[in-house]
């Protein structure tokens, strides 16, 4: 659905920041609002930075913008750390120099999307299948800027009734999926193996499978649930990104607003 654009960025303390106004009759689609938010996120980028490059439709706009600014000479000496093979291919096509965590264990800034954001800026990520590399790279970042549209804002993690992904090893995946279901059954959980092409198991960039957890109830203490999931043999990582986001840029009906960590919702 097309959304009207209010030409203001609104910070968490409700201070408006002027941006160039589009024509009064201009109506922007949700994807165009995502692009505006992505460009705002790229404003955090400075020459000489090591950047975590996110994966997904919103993050793609940010990577495109970084490549554009490099070509224009407005950014220099950027090193990108891609969170997926798909992002790696995109960045290489744009001429963005790439490296990895072995060479750059501390990242200045990561920019990525999210599937859910709660009032405390906890996230669900990984519905695109890149959660492990995303968590490794964004967890090594001094600053992590998240870009979403307003539909991704939820009252609690799992509140969208969409999948909470858990990456698992392929060995005896049914055993691991059942253990996950039992751990999460108090939250009305249904566990499903993610399928890819031709009905076969979806395989991550790391050669693993994903079990999607569909929840009916609020999980309460997310750190407790996180520990319970990660203690299960066969689990590699889950898609809850807890206390990791520094800033969330939200595209919605009133344009784009910015929420910073520990500010009021």
């Amino acid at each position: 659905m097309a959304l009207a654009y209010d030409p203001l960025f609104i910070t968490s303390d409700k201070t408006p920041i002027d941006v160039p106004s589009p024509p009064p009759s201009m109506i922007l689609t949700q994807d165009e609002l995502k692009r505006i938010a992505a460009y705002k996120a790229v404003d955090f980028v400075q020459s000489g930075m090591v950047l975590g490059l996110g994966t997904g439709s919103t993050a793609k706009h940010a990577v495109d913008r970084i490549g554009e600014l490099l070509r224009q000479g407005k950014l220099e000496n950027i090193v990108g750390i891609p969170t997926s093979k798909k992002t790696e291919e995109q960045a290489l096509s744009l001429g963005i120099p790439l490296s990895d965590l072995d060479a750059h264990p501390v990242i200045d800034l990561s920019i990525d999307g999210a599937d859910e954001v709660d009032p405390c800026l906890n996230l669900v990520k990984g519905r695109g299948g890149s959660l492990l590399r995303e968590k490794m790279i964004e967890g090594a970042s001094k600053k992590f800027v998240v870009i979403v549209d307003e539909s991704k804002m939820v009252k609690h993690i799992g509140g969208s009734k969409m999948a909470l992904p858990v990456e698992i090893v392929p060995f005896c995946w049914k055993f691991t999926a059942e253990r996950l279901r039992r751990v999460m059954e108090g939250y009305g959980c249904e566990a499903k193996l993610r399928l890819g092409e031709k009905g076969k198991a979806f395989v991550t960039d790391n050669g693993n499978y994903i079990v999607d957890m569909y929840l009916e109830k609020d999980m309460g203490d997310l750190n407790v649930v996180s520990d319970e999931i990660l203690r299960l043999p066969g689990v590699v990582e889950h898609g809850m990104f807890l206390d990791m986001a520094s800033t969330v840029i939200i595209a919605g009906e009133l344009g784009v607003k910015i929420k910073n960590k520990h500010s009021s919702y």
Side-chain angles (χ1 to χ4, degrees), residues 83-120:
T83 56
S84 67
K85 292 179 180 179
K86 185 174 183 180
T87 299
E88 179 180 4
E89 292 170 359
Q90 179 194 3
L92 288 173
S93 73
L94 295 169
I96 300 174
L98 299 181
S99 188
D100 57 31
L101 284 174
D102 288 337
H104 298 279
V106 179
I107 295 172
D108 296 304
L109 169 67
S110 284
I111 300 174
D112 205 353
D115 302 307
E116 290 184 4
V117 182
D118 79 2
C120 297

Side-chain angles (χ1 to χ4, degrees), residues 81-265:
I81 313 293
T83 56
S84 67
K85 292 179 180 179
K86 185 174 183 180
T87 299
E88 179 180 4
E89 292 170 359
Q90 179 194 3
L92 288 173
S93 73
L94 295 169
I96 300 174
L98 299 181
S99 188
D100 57 31
L101 284 174
D102 288 337
H104 298 279
V106 179
I107 295 172
D108 296 304
L109 169 67
S110 284
I111 300 174
D112 205 353
D115 302 307
E116 290 184 4
V117 182
D118 79 2
C120 297
L121 303 193
N122 295 311
L123 317 173
V124 170
K125 292 178 51 58
R127 291 179 189 156
S130 303
L131 66 96
L132 177 58
R133 296 190 186 191
E134 288 172 340
K135 188 171 283 190
M136 291 176 68
I137 290 166
E138 289 151 12
S141 302
K142 296 176 183 177
K143 186 176 182 67
F144 177 26
V145 176
V146 179
I147 319 162
V148 295
D149 65 79
E150 64 183 356
S151 70
K152 304 298 171 55
M153 307 304 292
V154 296
K155 293 181 179 179
H156 60 82
I157 291 299
S160 69
K161 309 298 184 185
M162 302 293 283
L164 169 60
V166 181
E167 188 161 343
I168 66 171
V169 297
F171 175 73
C172 294
W173 69 264
K174 292 180 181 178
F175 171 82
T176 305
E178 175 60 18
R179 295 285 298 276
L180 277 168
R181 188 196 65 78
R182 290 180 183 177
V183 164
M184 304 291 283
E185 65 182 349
Y187 312 113
C189 175
E190 182 180 6
K192 294 183 179 181
L193 180 71
R194 184 177 298 184
L195 301 179
E197 295 181 358
K198 299 180 179 179
K200 295 183 179 180
F202 173 85
V203 179
T204 71
D205 286 348
N206 316 298
N208 296 317
Y209 291 172
I210 287 180
V211 173
D212 287 321
M213 317 289 287
Y214 295 89
L215 307 171
E216 293 294 330
K217 300 177 182 178
D218 187 343
M219 291 180 286
D221 191 328
L222 299 178
N223 289 296
V224 170
V225 176
S226 170
D227 290 344
E228 290 177 342
I229 293 173
L230 294 176
R231 278 200 294 265
L232 292 176
V235 168
V236 178
E237 188 54 85
H238 59 68
M240 290 187 290
F241 285 51
L242 307 180
D243 199 30
M244 289 179 59
S246 309
T247 298
V248 176
I249 301 176
I250 307 159
E253 292 184 358
L254 298 179
V256 176
K257 64 180 179 180
I258 300 173
K259 178 173 171 58
N260 293 308
K261 192 173 184 178
H262 304 312
S263 64
S264 59
Y265 191 64

Side-chain angles (χ1 to χ4, degrees), residues 63-75:
V63 177
D64 283 341
R65 178 62 172 166
I66 291 166
E68 179 183 10
L69 294 175
L70 281 170
R71 289 193 303 275
Q72 294 173 351
K74 296 178 181 178
L75 285 176

